[in-house]
Amino acid sequence: MPRTAAPPVAPPSTSRRRTSASVVLRSVLEHGPVARSTIARLTGLSPASVTDYCSRFTELGLIRESEVPRQSQGVGRPHVPLDLDETQFVVGGVHVAVPYTTVALLDLRGRVVAAWELRHDGADSVGAGAGADVILARAADGLGALLARSPRLRCLGVGFAAGGWVDRDSGTVVEHPLLGWHEVPVREVLGARTGLPVHVDGHARALVNAERLFGRARGSRSVLHLFVGNVVDSAFATNDEVHHGPRSQAGAIAHLPVPGGTEPCDCGRTGCLQAELSERTLCRRARRAGIVEGVNPMHVVAAAAAGDPVAARLLAERAGAVGRAVRLLLDVLNPETVVVTEVGILHREDCLAALREGVGDDRAASVIPSSFPDSVLAVAGGSVALDVLYRDPLAASPEAI
């Protein structure tokens, strides 16, 4: 007998129902307001099955009939289109970055309803600050406060995202060196404090799911996401499935070597991708040039916007280096679409041009910035929970319903 038992597999009929329910709700998300007959045509399901699933979603409060019916061609009753019901439910989102935590509420379309940033006490350029227990307790309290401000909205669950090594299945942050976290049972801690289902994943994977559900990568057969912040990591999805690998270690690219790199890395080597491209490095170079003080990369962006040529150069050089890293990943994975989350690229056209130049003309058109430039961290957290909802909508939280 094998030493490790295989994970339980859902019976085929259960798996089929889950898949059918998912494609029906995704059709409403992507095409709503949409008639049941159109959903049947789009999904290939029978009209009777579509009607059954839509009735269940209506009972759960996930969808509603649109106010204005569409007149059918010829005789017969008018088609009453369906759309998501955005008035009843939200999901909570928690994203833990090095200097602060973002807590947010998102509606069923992935739009941010409310958000707060909670700075970590004592956070500095090295990442030292409050411990995991304190950070998670404050996040739970912050979510509670946001929900108290919107008493008519019920929360279906909480999504948690962070950089580093995050194990989705166990709900654990296995290792986050910049935060000093090791084997932190996030699902257990947040679940106990909120009383809600908690879903946990790495932020690059969370943002791939956000892009395929709500962003410009919707419909792409394969998507690569590169996240360049204090943490540098990636995620890859094909046919609507994000690759996690054993214990969710896929996408760990922080220590890929950068030819000609000069930055020392905590691992003891020189020129690792994260050491070269991180926001800590960008801000240190900006401080050295006398452009800004502190560790906020948006201050470098602001300086460039105010006309500082050195700030603009630092941002463009970094974007070009990100482009060369993308080119390497393109050679390995060959995705249809590449999404990049990086502060300069999100806010400056010259940085986007430098990124695409680094990628090369033959593939530059496939590279796009994040669809969520003003809310990327809030969306990352909430999308972990929304991905679960859209994969298995009939299992929406009974606590909320």
Side-chain angles (χ1 to χ4, degrees):
M1 292 184 64
R3 289 179 294 174
T4 304
V9 177
S13 59
T14 301
S15 179
R16 283 195 298 270
R17 284 196 297 272
R18 183 184 299 121
T19 300
S20 297
S22 174
V23 297
V24 169
L25 190 61
R26 286 278 298 273
S27 294
V28 178
L29 167 68
E30 295 176 15
H31 303 285
V34 60
R36 292 171 180 84
S37 58
T38 303
I39 296 174
R41 176 174 55 81
L42 291 169
T43 63
L45 297 172
S46 69
S49 293
V50 170
T51 297
D52 178 54
Y53 286 119
C54 288
S55 296
R56 297 190 195 187
F57 295 152
T58 302
E59 292 172 1
L60 290 172
L62 299 175
I63 66 174
R64 57 176 173 78
E65 291 186 343
S66 185
E67 294 179 359
V68 181
R70 296 177 179 173
Q71 184 65 47
S72 60
Q73 296 179 352
V75 296
R77 297 175 57 189
H79 294 300
V80 180
L82 301 171
D83 207 351
L84 292 178
D85 189 340
E86 300 156 16
T87 65
Q88 297 194 53
F89 296 115
V90 290
V91 298
V94 176
H95 179 278
V96 177
V98 174
Y100 59 87
T101 294
T102 302
V103 294
L105 302 179
L106 276 65
D107 69 13
L108 300 187
R109 290 193 178 278
R111 297 176 299 205
V112 177
V113 175
W116 276 346
E117 289 183 0
L118 308 173
R119 186 164 182 81
H120 303 160
D121 289 348
D124 58 22
S125 61
V126 182
D133 289 343
V134 172
I135 288 173
L136 294 176
R138 289 177 178 172
D141 291 343
L143 283 177
L146 291 180
L147 287 167
R149 291 183 174 186
S150 306
R152 294 183 180 180
L153 297 174
R154 291 179 287 172
C155 189
L156 289 168
V158 178
F160 172 94
W165 177 5
V166 181
D167 182 7
R168 176 188 61 170
D169 292 336
S170 67
T172 302
V173 174
V174 181
E175 196 74 55
H176 196 310
L178 297 182
L179 288 173
W181 288 19
H182 177 71
E183 295 290 354
V184 177
V186 172
R187 178 188 296 154
E188 178 184 332
V189 174
L190 278 182
R193 287 188 169 274
T194 63
L196 290 164
V198 175
H199 310 283
V200 175
D201 210 342
H203 60 195
R205 292 190 291 267
L207 288 167
V208 165
N209 287 327
E211 291 288 347
R212 69 176 183 79
L213 284 170
F214 315 114
R216 284 178 287 174
R218 179 187 288 174
S220 292
R221 289 167 296 181
S222 56
V223 183
L224 167 69
H225 180 265
L226 178 63
F227 187 98
V228 184
N230 281 307
V231 171
V232 177
D233 55 12
S234 66
F236 183 59
T238 57
N239 297 322
D240 220 25
E241 291 288 341
V242 178
H243 179 61
H244 283 76
R247 212 182 176 194
S248 299
Q249 284 189 276
I253 60 171
H255 299 290
L256 287 180
V258 175
T262 60
E263 292 289 336
C265 181
D266 293 340
C267 73
R269 293 179 292 181
T270 298
C272 291
L273 189 64
Q274 182 166 289
E276 292 291 330
L277 298 183
S278 76
E279 289 175 351
R280 295 188 301 161
T281 300
L282 171 67
C283 291
R284 186 173 66 251
R285 290 170 176 171
R287 290 194 303 272
R288 188 183 304 148
I291 299 168
V292 298
E293 297 179 358
V295 293
N296 188 339
M298 284 304 298
H299 293 169
V300 185
V301 175
D308 189 310
V310 179
R313 176 178 58 79
L314 287 175
L315 290 168
E317 288 177 350
R318 183 182 190 231
V322 171
R324 292 189 290 276
V326 169
R327 184 170 61 195
L328 173 64
L329 296 173
L330 276 165
D331 289 341
V332 175
L333 298 171
N334 193 32
E336 183 176 309
T337 303
V338 180
V339 182
V340 178
T341 299
E342 189 272 340
V343 65
I345 293 159
L346 294 181
H347 294 94
R348 294 182 59 87
E349 287 296 327
D350 60 336
C351 289
L352 181 58
L355 167 77
R356 288 176 169 161
E357 182 179 353
V359 171
D361 292 341
D362 55 330
R363 297 298 298 272
S366 66
V367 182
I368 59 175
S370 168
S371 301
F372 318 102
D374 300 319
S375 56
V376 64
L377 302 185
V379 169
S383 290
V384 178
L386 288 169
D387 174 62
V388 172
L389 170 67
Y390 281 102
R391 288 188 184 279
D392 193 5
L394 293 178
S397 168
E399 290 89 343
I401 296 172

